[in-house]
């Protein structure tokens, strides 16, 4: 059972303390009367005892007032820090995605011009390195759009996970990998269209980072009551164990960090949909499990 505490948090500290004092005074009287009734004597219920009980309630009310005031100050400070951090992230994301990308486009343009002028192999290799590096950074900026577009609110619509998986598989290069999908005819989940990004990213990683002679990717969709799971298994080199540990711990340090932002984006965008992600890697490959809340099929009649 979920309780809505917003009406309580919306009250001022003075109102909450006054309510606490009134309730405490009534409880003190009720307890004294109950004790007197149980003992069959009214000796224990005297004005002096009642005043003492009320003084105790008043003292605890002061403690209550101080504790609530301190807590709200900390919450307000945390809220301001969070707003400041969000503003910084939005500015950095906008600068990176627009300003930096525009500069990278200029670099790419001049790289193409130089490619037509150089003739020695070494210079061509240098230019190819520049081109590949700028392409990678531009790709990262495109991936960051998924974070900007993702809504922080819980999804209020549904997506057929089977269709989303087939669309992700359809854009892969069919000649570079063998991809198999085992799924029911449909599997509806609570999500919006942005869930397509983590699904597509998982399949792209399974193929792109697989340097095997024969690249195999096996996807399975399973429904288990209130949850629906997408499991993607590849036979690649696997995600390094330290990177998996970072993702599970949800914290990066100077000595422990993930080398790719793509894995973080998969985790973040999946969690904004109310889902969970698990990465398991070994020498035989990587297994990624995306788990979502199941939703009723649109064809299911409502009662």
């Amino acid at each position: 059972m979920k309780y809505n505490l917003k009406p309580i948090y919306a009250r001022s500290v003075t109102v909450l303390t006054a309510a606490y004092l009134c309730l405490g005074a009534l409880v003190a009287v009720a307890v004294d009367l109950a004790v007197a009734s149980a003992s069959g004597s009214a000796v224990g219920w005297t004005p002096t005892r009642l005043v003492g009980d009320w003084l105790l309630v008043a003292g605890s009310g002061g403690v209550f007032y101080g504790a609530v005031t301190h807590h709200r100050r900390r919450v307000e400070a945390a809220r301001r820090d969070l707003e400041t951090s969000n503003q910084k992230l939005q500015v950095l994301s906008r600068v990176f995605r627009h300003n930096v990308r525009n500069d990278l486009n200029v670099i790419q343009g001049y790289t193409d011009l130089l490619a037509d002028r150089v003739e020695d192999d070494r210079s061509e290799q240098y230019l190819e390195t520049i081109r590949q590096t700028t392409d990678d950074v531009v790709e990262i900026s495109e991936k960051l759009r998924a974070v900007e577009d993702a809504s922080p609110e819980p999804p209020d619509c549904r997506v057929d996970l089977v269709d989303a998986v087939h669309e992700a598989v359809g854009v892969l290069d069919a000649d570079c990998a063998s991809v198999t999908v085992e799924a029911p005819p449909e599997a509806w989940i609570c999500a919006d269209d942005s869930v397509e990004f983590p699904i597509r990213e998982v399949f792209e990683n399974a193929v792109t980072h697989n340097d095997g002679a024969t690249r195999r990717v096996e996807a399975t969709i399973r429904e288990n009551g209130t949850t629906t799971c997408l499991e993607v298994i590849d036979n690649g080199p696997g995600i390094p164990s330290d990177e998996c540990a970072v993702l599970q711990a949800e914290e990066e340090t100077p000595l422990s960090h993930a080398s790719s932002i793509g894995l973080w984006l998969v985790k973040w965008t999946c969690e904004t949909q109310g889902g969970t992600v698990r990465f398991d890697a070994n020498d035989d490959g990587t297994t990624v499990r995306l788990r979502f809340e199941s939703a009723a099929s649109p064809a299911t009649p409502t009662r």
Side-chain angles (χ1 to χ4, degrees), residues 131-178:
R131 183 183 292 107
Q132 184 61 50
T133 303
T134 52
D135 288 345
D136 291 342
V137 179
V138 170
E139 183 180 357
I140 292 176
S141 71
E142 285 299 320
K143 291 181 179 180
L144 289 177
R145 182 189 295 271
V147 177
E148 292 184 358
D149 295 342
S151 172
E153 300 298 328
D156 58 355
C157 47
R158 51 193 169 188
V159 172
D160 185 1
L161 183 59
V162 177
D163 284 346
V165 167
H166 284 302
E167 289 180 6
V169 173
V171 299
L172 295 175
D173 187 354
D175 296 332
C176 68
S178 171

Side-chain angles (χ1 to χ4, degrees), residues 31-245:
V31 170
D32 284 347
L33 290 175
V35 172
S37 176
S39 62
S41 173
V43 176
W45 192 64
T46 63
T48 302
R49 181 182 180 87
L50 185 59
V51 171
D53 291 341
W54 283 351
L55 288 175
L56 179 61
V57 171
S60 63
V63 175
F64 176 84
Y65 181 89
V68 173
T69 301
H70 176 69
H71 174 72
R72 289 203 168 180
R73 287 175 179 173
R74 292 186 60 184
V75 170
E76 182 62 22
R79 185 188 63 81
R80 290 195 299 268
D81 291 343
L82 182 60
E83 289 181 351
T84 302
S85 298
N86 286 337
Q87 290 175 353
K88 291 179 180 178
L89 289 175
Q90 290 174 0
V91 171
L92 290 174
S93 177
R94 184 168 58 252
V95 170
F96 182 82
R97 291 194 59 249
H98 298 284
N99 301 54
V100 174
R101 180 174 177 176
N102 290 339
D103 293 340
L104 290 173
N105 288 336
V106 173
I107 296 175
Q108 289 176 324
Y110 279 106
T111 301
D112 293 337
L113 291 176
L114 287 174
D116 297 333
R117 295 174 178 270
V118 298
E119 298 179 356
D120 59 294
D121 294 339
R122 183 178 296 274
S123 297
E124 290 180 356
Q125 292 176 0
Y126 292 158
L127 291 175
E128 181 60 29
T129 301
I130 295 174
R131 183 183 292 107
Q132 184 61 50
T133 303
T134 52
D135 288 345
D136 291 342
V137 179
V138 170
E139 183 180 357
I140 292 176
S141 71
E142 285 299 320
K143 291 181 179 180
L144 289 177
R145 182 189 295 271
V147 177
E148 292 184 358
D149 295 342
S151 172
E153 300 298 328
D156 58 355
C157 47
R158 51 193 169 188
V159 172
D160 185 1
L161 183 59
V162 177
D163 284 346
V165 167
H166 284 302
E167 289 180 6
V169 173
V171 299
L172 295 175
D173 187 354
D175 296 332
C176 68
S178 171
V179 182
T180 59
V181 178
E182 179 183 347
E186 60 180 20
W188 293 89
I189 60 175
C190 295
D192 55 37
D193 291 339
S194 61
V195 77
E196 296 175 358
F197 172 81
I199 296 173
R200 184 173 62 252
E201 187 73 10
V202 167
F203 280 99
E204 288 182 355
N205 284 338
V207 174
T208 304
H209 300 290
N210 190 332
D211 54 1
T214 303
R215 305 178 187 181
R216 296 191 305 274
V217 180
E218 300 175 359
T220 306
I221 297 177
R222 297 187 180 91
E223 296 177 292
N224 183 18
T226 59
T227 61
T228 300
C229 177
L230 167 62
E231 182 180 80
V232 180
I233 304 175
D234 66 66
N235 65 332
I239 303 174
S241 58
D242 55 344
E243 291 198 27
C244 288

